[in-house]
């Protein structure tokens, strides 16, 4: 998993609340193999027309936002089903952080396990950021995990909270398994000692 420390990148406003995981990646694509082009399924049914061509009205199809690595969304982003692929399509497209007032709980956890930083900010702050991004297309936002701050296009700084253990894992590029594997030698030594002390349990 790629570590997340500090990111300054083009941000795109997603002016929708309660964007569910089926909107992020429709269920019919869940059996598709994850590969280099998995990001093409991101927001598929609103990003493309019925004939497969780009929908010019969708924000990520507009030139200033095509390279966005940060999304600024409405309340309850990632609600709905628990599909982890809703994070995969975001990261495979190139998104490293989503800023919103709130997230679906499972989606929030899946994001943290896959190197995508979900940032909760107050609704007024998120609304202001989206307005600035619309008024100044192609503007950049800085998300700094170490200082737990977001810097808007106008230089305004917003602080956000994150659990200390999740922060450590993101900074070091570790999921839960990776965190355990850092202690594998101690675990194996314990198991060996345990088997030696109580062989009848083997």
């Amino acid at each position: 998993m790629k570590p997340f420390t500090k990111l300054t990148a083009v941000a795109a406003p997603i002016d929708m609340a309660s964007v569910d995981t089926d909107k992020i990646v429709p269920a019919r694509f869940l059996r598709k193999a994850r590969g280099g082009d998995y990001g093409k399924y991101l927001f598929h049914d609103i990003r493309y027309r019925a004939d497969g061509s780009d929908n010019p009205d969708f924000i990520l199809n507009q030139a200033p936002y095509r390279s966005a690595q940060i999304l600024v969304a409405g309340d309850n982003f990632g609600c709905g089903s628990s599909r982890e692929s809703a994070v995969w399509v975001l990261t495979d497209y190139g998104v490293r952080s989503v800023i919103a007032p709130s997230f679906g709980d499972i989606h929030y956890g899946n994001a943290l396990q896959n190197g995508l930083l979900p940032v909760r900010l107050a609704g007024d702050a998120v609304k202001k950021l989206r307005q600035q991004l619309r008024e100044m297309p192609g503007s950049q936002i800085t998300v700094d995990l170490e200082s737990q701050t977001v810097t808007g296009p106008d230089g305004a700084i917003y602080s956000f909270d994150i659990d200390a253990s999740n922060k450590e894992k993101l900074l070091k590029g570790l999921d839960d398994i990776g965190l355990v594997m850092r202690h594998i030698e101690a675990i194996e030594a314990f198991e060996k000692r345990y088997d030696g002390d109580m062989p009848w349990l083997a």
Side-chain angles (χ1 to χ4, degrees):
M1 190 169 83
K2 185 178 179 181
F4 191 113
T5 53
K6 182 177 180 179
L7 172 68
T8 299
V10 171
I14 304 295
D15 294 319
M16 294 179 282
S18 296
V19 174
D20 63 34
T21 52
D22 195 61
K23 187 164 286 183
I24 297 171
V25 57
R28 65 185 182 279
F29 298 120
L30 298 186
R31 293 189 178 185
K32 296 286 186 180
R34 186 180 180 189
D37 62 349
Y38 199 69
K40 71 183 180 183
Y41 303 120
L42 176 64
F43 295 122
H44 186 278
D45 291 353
I46 52 178
R47 188 170 149 204
Y48 302 109
R49 292 170 165 166
D51 64 1
S53 62
D54 287 352
N55 172 8
D57 294 328
F58 186 63
I59 195 77
L60 294 181
N61 289 332
Q62 296 169 17
Y65 306 104
R66 281 186 179 271
S67 62
Q69 292 180 269
I70 300 169
L71 302 183
V72 184
D75 289 292
N76 204 24
F77 186 85
C79 58
S81 71
S82 60
R83 62 193 70 168
E84 193 172 14
S85 53
V87 176
W88 296 345
V89 290
L90 286 162
T91 57
D92 287 6
Y93 180 85
V95 174
R96 293 298 319 276
S97 182
V98 178
I99 301 169
S102 59
F103 294 84
D105 289 342
I106 296 175
H107 183 76
Y108 184 90
N110 285 340
L112 294 169
Q113 288 293 317
N114 286 275
L116 187 149
L117 175 58
V119 174
R120 296 189 185 106
L121 291 182
D124 288 346
V126 174
K127 184 177 179 180
K128 181 180 177 181
L129 288 172
R130 288 203 308 270
Q131 181 179 346
Q132 291 173 354
L133 295 174
R134 288 192 301 271
E135 292 174 349
M136 298 179 285
S139 294
Q140 294 186 328
I141 284 176
T142 295
V143 180
D144 189 332
L145 178 56
E146 291 182 311
S147 65
Q148 295 180 210
T149 59
V150 170
T151 304
D154 62 349
I157 298 175
Y158 309 90
S159 297
F160 64 91
D161 294 325
I162 184 170
D163 176 82
S165 63
N166 288 326
K167 178 179 179 178
E168 179 187 9
K169 286 186 287 186
L170 282 169
L171 287 171
K172 295 178 178 177
L174 298 171
D175 58 13
D176 284 342
I177 294 173
L179 194 63
V180 170
M181 292 303 292
R182 292 177 65 201
H183 305 284
I184 190 63
E185 290 184 4
I187 293 170
E188 289 175 342
F190 169 82
E191 291 289 341
K192 185 176 181 180
R193 186 172 65 253
Y194 188 83
D195 289 345
D197 290 345
M198 291 177 280
W200 58 88
L201 294 178

